[in-house]
Amino acid sequence: MIQTLGSCLGYCDEPKRPNVIFFLTDDLGYADVGCYGATKVKTPNIDALAANGIRFTDFHTGASICSPSRACFLTGAYPQRCGLYMGINPIRNEHWFLGLNPDEITLAEQFQNSGYQTYMIGKWHLGKEPEFHPFRHGFDHYYGMPNNAGHTAAFYDGTKEVYAKTPLAQLTKLYTDRAVEIIQEDRDEPFFLYFAHNYPHTPYKAGKDFVGSSRDGVRGDVIEELDWGIGELMKALEGAGIAENTIVIFTSDNGPVKPQYAKPYRGTKYVTFEGGHRVPFIFHWPAKIRNGIESDTPVVAMDVFPTLSEIIDQPLATDRVYDGVSLTPLLNGGAISRPNDQPFYYYNCENLQAIRYGDWKLHLPRAQRQLPLWDKNKTFVNAAAPALYNLRNDIAESDDVSSSNPEIVQQMVRMAKEARRELGEFMQRGSGQRPTGSAIEDAPIISHGKDWPTVDAATRSAIHAERLRRHPEIKNVHGNKNNRRQTK
C-alpha cells in the first residue's frame, strides 16, 4: 500500500557509506512503466522499487533531449549554467570538438573524492574527443556504447573498442552482466554505478528471450527486458548481502518520442510541454525507507547532485552555483529547502521557452531562428503574447488563462528577463554560464549547423583541418566534396 509522504517512514541504524546505482534510461516517458500507468508492458521489478521507495509524480529533467539532460544530472546545474546545453552530435562540424568541460565537478568526482570506486555503464553522449572521456570526469571504469547508434555505434570496454558496431539485441544483457559483475566483485567496498542505458532510444532490438513479450511491439519488449535487468541487479545485491544499504535511483533523461507514452501530459521529447520534461523518478533505499511513499513534491534533475553529495558527506564546491537542493529531508518526513514558488526554467538548447512558478507555467513567444533543429513545436512561434497555464487543474496545458491573470504574466516575464541575463538566450551568453568544453582553444561555441556560417571562413577552415588531423578517416569516407562543404 502506498502511503503519503512522512506518514510511515521506518529506519534502522544510521547507514554508512551506501552504494549507489543511478539507473538512467533514454527516452522513457512518464507512462512507460507500470507504477506510472503503463498498461501494455509489465515492469514488476521497477514497480517493486517504487513500492518500497519514494515514487515522485512531479519530477522534471533539465532538458528535453539527451546531452544537456545528462550534463544536468552529473553537475547539479542547469545545462545552460554548466555550458553543455546543446544536443552533442560528433558528426556535425559545429559539435565534434565540444563536450562537458573537464573543469566541471561531476557526481563521479564527488564519489571518487569520498573513496568510492566509480563505474559507468552505457551512454555518455557528452563529447567524443579524448578530452571529454568519462575517465576525465571521475569514472574509474567505463563500459558501453557512448553515443547514439546513429552517430557512431562502437562499443568500448575502457578505451578498448570491443565492437565496431554494437549488437543491439545483446545490449541489455551485456550491460546487465557487467553490472552484476561489479556488484559481486565490489561487495566489500562502496561503489557508485552510473548505469546510463541507451534504451528505449532508437534504434533498438530486444534480446531473443524478450521478442514478443509485451503488447506494445519491439519498444515494449525492450522495456520489459530493461525491467528484467533491474531485477537481476536487485538479485545480485541481495546475493551479495548489500541490498539494504544500496541506493537505487531510477529515472529517464527526457520524455518519449511518441505522445502516448507521456500521458497524461502534453508533448514529447524535443519540446518544453510537460511531456518532454516530466518523467518517472524513483528513489529506493531500504536502510532508510521501509514503506512505499508517493510524493507530489516538485523535484528536478539538479537535486540529484546535492542529495547524493550530502548522503556521502561530500561538501559542494563553493566556487560555483548549483541549481538543486538536497532531497534528504524527505527521508525523515520533512520538507526540502527550496521554496514552492522558486522558478523552474524550461530551456530548449539556448532558447528559454517556458517558466514554472508554483502551479503556473508560462510559455514564452519565440522566433523560428531561435529554435534548435529538433524542436517541432510551432505553437508559440511568433506568438503575440505569452500563454499561461495552471498545472494544478490543466496538466494538458490547453487552457490559456493569461488574459485573466495579467499580473502573474508580468511577474513571470520579469523572471524570464532575469534568467536570460544569467543563463543566456539564443546566440547570447549569460553572466552565470560556465565555459563549454572545447577540444580547440578559443573555438566558437555554436549550437546549430544553420548558424555555423556566421563563423568566419578562416576559423572554420582551421577547425576542419584539426578535425582531419585527429580523424584522417573522415577525408577517405566523405571525399573532397564534403570537405569543401564543411569549410564554406
Side-chain angles (χ1 to χ4, degrees), residues 18-22 243 245-249 283-286 308 311:
N19 307 299
V20 176
I21 299 176
F22 179 19
N245 197 29
T246 295
I247 296 169
V248 179
I249 295 172
F283 191 97
H284 180 270
W285 189 10
L308 294 179
I311 287 171

Side-chain angles (χ1 to χ4, degrees), residues 188-231:
D188 297 323
E189 296 294 334
F191 65 85
F192 169 61
L193 169 58
Y194 173 45
F195 192 155
H197 208 299
N198 303 71
Y199 288 166
H201 190 294
T202 57
Y204 43 63
K205 292 183 180 180
K208 60 182 177 63
D209 294 336
F210 292 89
V211 173
S213 62
S214 76
R215 294 190 294 115
D216 197 27
V218 179
R219 187 176 186 276
D221 299 346
V222 163
I223 290 175
E224 292 203 356
E225 189 173 10
L226 281 175
D227 182 78
W228 164 82
I230 292 282

Side-chain angles (χ1 to χ4, degrees), residues 253-361:
D253 61 347
N254 45 250
V257 295
K258 293 185 177 180
Q260 63 264 36
Y261 303 121
K263 290 183 177 179
Y265 300 102
R266 180 180 181 182
T268 61
K269 176 183 179 177
Y270 305 126
V271 305
T272 48
F273 283 120
E274 288 296 283
H277 282 255
R278 196 181 299 218
V279 297
F281 186 78
I282 299 168
F283 191 97
H284 180 270
W285 189 10
K288 277 289 190 180
I289 307 166
R290 292 297 192 192
N291 300 292
I293 301 160
E294 181 179 292
S295 174
D296 62 0
T297 299
V299 295
V300 295
M302 296 85 80
D303 296 335
V304 173
F305 190 105
T307 300
L308 294 179
S309 294
E310 180 179 347
I311 287 171
I312 64 174
D313 198 28
Q314 189 65 30
L316 301 183
T318 58
D319 65 345
R320 63 198 61 211
V321 173
Y322 293 94
D323 293 302
V325 300
S326 175
L327 303 178
T328 57
L330 299 179
L331 303 177
N332 301 311
I336 60 176
S337 61
R338 179 169 48 240
N340 291 333
D341 58 356
Q342 180 172 313
F344 174 75
Y345 303 111
Y346 299 75
Y347 270 86
N348 207 344
C349 199
E350 300 167 282
N351 181 212
L352 177 61
Q353 296 190 340
I355 298 174
R356 179 173 174 178
Y357 176 61
D359 291 328
W360 300 108
K361 184 173 179 183

Side-chain angles (χ1 to χ4, degrees), residues 12-266:
C12 60
D13 292 336
E14 186 68 18
K16 297 180 180 179
R17 298 171 66 78
N19 307 299
V20 176
I21 299 176
F22 179 19
F23 197 101
L24 181 66
T25 56
D26 195 338
D27 293 1
L28 187 90
Y30 188 87
D32 262 326
V33 295
C35 58
Y36 283 88
T39 58
K40 293 184 178 181
V41 299
K42 295 179 180 179
T43 56
N45 296 300
I46 297 169
D47 298 346
L49 293 178
N52 298 286
I54 306 178
R55 182 176 74 91
F56 290 89
T57 60
D58 196 347
F59 172 79
H60 286 71
T61 61
S64 62
I65 58 165
C66 302
S67 298
S69 174
R70 290 156 197 273
C72 177
F73 276 121
L74 290 176
T75 65
Y78 276 108
Q80 290 68 33
R81 190 181 301 283
C82 71
L84 206 287
Y85 43 83
M86 64 288 291
I88 292 291
N89 184 336
I91 296 175
R92 294 180 188 143
N93 301 326
E94 71 277 13
H95 281 184
W96 72 266
F97 55 92
L98 301 180
L100 184 64
N101 196 316
D103 291 338
E104 287 296 321
I105 299 171
T106 68
L107 258 179
E109 289 171 292
Q110 290 288 90
F111 279 93
Q112 205 173 53
N113 291 336
S114 196
Y116 280 65
Q117 279 289 301
T118 55
Y119 297 86
M120 182 182 173
I121 291 174
K123 178 178 172 179
W124 176 240
H125 207 183
L126 294 173
K128 190 172 181 289
E129 294 303 297
E131 290 88 340
F132 313 118
H133 194 279
F135 290 162
R136 295 289 303 272
H137 285 287
F139 290 98
D140 298 313
H141 310 273
Y142 174 73
Y143 182 77
M145 182 169 67
N147 299 286
N148 287 335
H151 300 162
T152 170
F155 189 105
Y156 295 87
D157 191 346
T159 57
K160 179 182 178 182
E161 184 179 289
V162 179
Y163 299 103
K165 187 175 182 180
T166 299
L168 297 178
Q170 300 176 39
L171 188 62
T172 295
K173 188 175 189 308
L174 286 169
Y175 284 173
T176 302
D177 288 349
R178 177 56 64 94
V180 168
E181 181 182 305
I182 291 168
I183 291 168
Q184 292 172 340
E185 291 185 354
D186 274 16
R187 67 178 67 197
D188 297 323
E189 296 294 334
F191 65 85
F192 169 61
L193 169 58
Y194 173 45
F195 192 155
H197 208 299
N198 303 71
Y199 288 166
H201 190 294
T202 57
Y204 43 63
K205 292 183 180 180
K208 60 182 177 63
D209 294 336
F210 292 89
V211 173
S213 62
S214 76
R215 294 190 294 115
D216 197 27
V218 179
R219 187 176 186 276
D221 299 346
V222 163
I223 290 175
E224 292 203 356
E225 189 173 10
L226 281 175
D227 182 78
W228 164 82
I230 292 282
E232 293 300 295
L233 296 191
M234 300 312 293
K235 285 192 289 186
L237 291 171
E238 290 285 352
I242 56 176
E244 180 78 3
N245 197 29
T246 295
I247 296 169
V248 179
I249 295 172
F250 177 87
T251 189
S252 177
D253 61 347
N254 45 250
V257 295
K258 293 185 177 180
Q260 63 264 36
Y261 303 121
K263 290 183 177 179
Y265 300 102
R266 180 180 181 182

Side-chain angles (χ1 to χ4, degrees), residues 366-379:
R366 62 211 62 158
Q368 180 64 40
R369 67 185 182 86
Q370 294 176 291
L371 302 186
L373 62 91
W374 54 82
D375 189 348
K376 308 301 182 184
N377 177 21
K378 308 303 180 185
T379 305

